[in-house]
Structures are given as C-alpha cells and as structure tokens.
Amino acid sequence: AITHLSAWSIETANYDLLLVNYHLAGMDGLELARVIRHERGLEIPIVLITSTGSEELAIRALQLGVDEYLIKRNGYVNELAYTLENVKSRSDLKRERESLEETNQRLNHLIATSPCMLFCLRVDGKNLVPMWISENIKILFGYTMNEALASDWWDKHIHPDDHEHIKTNIARVFIENCLSHDYRFMHQDG
C-alpha cells in the first residue's frame, strides 16, 4: 500500500521519477532531495509525500528542488496519478526547452562563424523589407544589425552597377518563388 512507501523510482520507456515519503529510515525525504539535487546534481523529478502538511516543510521542499508535494490525507491517492502526470509533463517540457536551447546555441554559433550572411525579408507590396539578419553582418560587411534592418538600407548599399540586375531578379521571385543570383554589396568602408 502507498501509506508504507519509502522511496520508489518509477520508470517508463524514457522517463524516471522519484516518489519519496518524507519519513525515511536514516534520513528524511528533504535530505534525500538535497543529496540528489545538490550533491549528485541529478535532474530526476521528485515528488514528496508527507503526512506533515506544514508550510515550512513545503517551502523547504521547493527550495531543495522537489517538483511536487503531496500531503497524505483522505483521498490523496486519487491526486497521485494527476500529480505524477503533471510532474512528467513539466519535466518533458523542461527537457524539450533544454534541447531547443542547445540546438539554438549550435545554430547561432554556425551562423556567427559562417562566411555567409543570412536574412529574412517580408513582402510589402512590391518591396522586400528586412525582418531579420544574422549577426555576422558586422564581421562580413561592417554594419550593425540595426543599420541593416532599416527599410531602405539594402537598396542603398547594392553596388550601383548591379541595381538593374537585382530589380529584374527580384521580380522573378514573385513569379518563381525562388531566386539564386550573385551581386555586389558595398562594405561599410566603401
């Protein structure tokens, strides 16, 4: 029965969760949470179950990194499944955010060290307005991102001999939805 529970690790295909009773032999559940979080640095989700429902205990549990806190009272077992699913969902979201952040950092590094400048333009009538530009524009062309996002900046810095070629090719974008072409662009130093 759950009332005699000490510390259980619940495992599913790709998921671990530690369900801990506050009263453990030799230590309490908070000490176990401290060891897991601060000494071992583990990020496994922890749910603490206790018959002591004090605010101080709840605050200490949250400060030590306990993900959820349940008080043993009549019907608490009915809350258990919801609590475990909630903790799992939050843990999954945290892992996904961490994964996205790692991917974002790798992509930012690739863009920053790339010999190519990347940009995104928005169609406004027959004009293409810059919405985003890679930070490596400063290294490649000497301009800041803010300068490059000005609405007329791009047009002003195309090499004069390439203006007609650019206008012809931009018109093709609206017909073919794709464009690959070469042109010269003025560096900040001229």
Side-chain angles (χ1 to χ4, degrees), residues 20-40:
V20 179
N21 193 359
Y22 176 67
H23 297 290
L24 299 172
M27 73 169 63
D28 65 36
L30 292 182
E31 178 61 17
L32 179 62
R34 188 192 65 73
V35 168
I36 289 170
R37 290 286 189 259
H38 301 286
E39 287 184 19
R40 305 292 168 109

Side-chain angles (χ1 to χ4, degrees), residues 87-172:
V87 169
K88 179 188 181 312
S89 294
R90 288 192 323 242
S91 179
D92 290 347
L93 286 172
K94 181 180 178 189
R95 287 179 185 164
E96 185 65 27
R97 268 193 307 271
E98 289 169 353
S99 176
L100 288 171
E101 182 59 34
E102 288 175 16
T103 300
N104 189 40
Q105 288 175 359
R106 283 193 301 273
L107 290 174
N108 282 337
H109 176 74
L110 287 172
I111 291 170
T113 58
S114 171
C116 301
M117 183 185 62
L118 302 175
F119 56 92
C120 182
L121 304 172
R122 176 178 49 85
V123 176
D124 184 19
K126 291 187 178 184
N127 299 318
L128 298 175
V129 179
M131 294 177 53
W132 173 84
I133 194 157
S134 57
E135 292 181 30
N136 64 348
I137 189 166
K138 182 73 173 167
I139 296 167
L140 296 173
F141 292 106
Y143 300 100
T144 67
M145 290 173 63
N146 286 339
E147 289 172 315
L149 291 174
S151 61
D152 61 346
W153 176 83
W154 200 268
D155 206 35
K156 287 182 178 179
H157 294 91
I158 295 171
H159 189 281
D161 293 345
D162 292 339
H163 268 278
E164 208 49 50
H165 171 69
I166 294 285
K167 286 180 183 178
T168 302
N169 282 330
I170 287 177
R172 285 184 29 221

